[in-house]
Amino acid sequence: MPTTWHARLDWASTATTTTDALESLLDELANHSPAGSVSRDGLHGSVMLFLESAQLEDAIADAIAIVRAALQRSVPTADVVGVDVRDGDALDRELEQPVFPGVVGYAEIAEIAGVSRQRARAFTKIDGFPAPVIVTAQGPLMARAAVERWLENRNTRPGRPATS
């Protein structure tokens, strides 16, 4: 009985892949619900698609054959350089995972640490405090796990730390 597989294939090209060529590639793969992207330099890209095959090995071989044939017609200077194939259950588990790690700003850090927001902002000047993983207009966001680990291990002795 066939299984539905999700495949992601990466390609490399010796010439720049244009947006029109990517659209042509996706049109070639239309029967497989494709999505794709091209790197900024146009020399690398990836395509995701769905296909039906009886076994994993067949799905891998079929995905490579399908994409190579489509590349031959749309991006003839490209060839497949990587493949990742998983069944629907594995894809569902992957999609349930958050794309970004849990992040916290000053308000959350203050709440976790039991200090004021002003004191939470001052933590950023202490050696070893986690660097932001993203900076927004409202301020930096740090990985929650890194902040929690730092708070568990920080020196909480009263007074200012000794200077070298």
Side-chain angles (χ1 to χ4, degrees):
M1 180 167 142
T3 299
T4 299
W5 300 90
H6 173 265
R8 174 190 165 143
L9 291 94
D10 298 323
W11 80 81
S13 178
T14 57
T16 302
T17 303
T18 64
T19 304
D20 289 342
L22 176 62
E23 288 177 14
S24 176
L25 175 64
L26 296 178
D27 288 344
E28 291 283 338
L29 298 169
N31 293 337
H32 300 282
S33 303
S37 63
V38 177
S39 64
R40 284 188 180 182
D41 65 7
L43 298 177
H44 302 90
S46 66
V47 65
M48 284 122 331
L49 55 105
F50 290 93
L51 65 147
E52 300 282 329
S53 293
Q55 299 179 29
L56 174 62
E57 294 80 4
D58 298 333
I60 294 168
D62 293 348
I64 292 170
I66 290 166
V67 171
R68 276 194 172 142
L71 282 170
Q72 192 92 46
R73 293 186 291 274
S74 305
V75 189
T77 59
D79 196 14
V80 174
V81 296
V83 63
D84 177 36
V85 176
R86 60 194 68 221
D87 68 13
D89 291 338
L91 177 61
D92 289 344
R93 284 190 303 276
E94 180 182 331
L95 293 174
E96 288 173 1
Q97 299 301 313
V99 175
F100 296 103
V103 293
V104 291
Y106 294 126
E108 295 87 1
I109 294 168
E111 185 178 319
I112 294 167
V115 299
S116 68
R117 285 187 191 185
Q118 182 179 6
R119 178 67 182 133
R121 283 180 185 271
F123 287 163
T124 61
K125 295 179 176 71
I126 299 173
D127 285 342
F129 187 77
V133 292
I134 190 167
V135 177
T136 70
Q138 274 102 30
L141 299 174
M142 282 61 76
R144 175 183 283 277
V147 169
E148 288 172 346
R149 192 169 35 255
W150 182 83
L151 287 168
E152 288 171 5
N153 297 318
R154 72 185 171 125
N155 177 1
T156 57
R157 289 184 290 167
R160 294 186 182 268
T163 58
S164 310

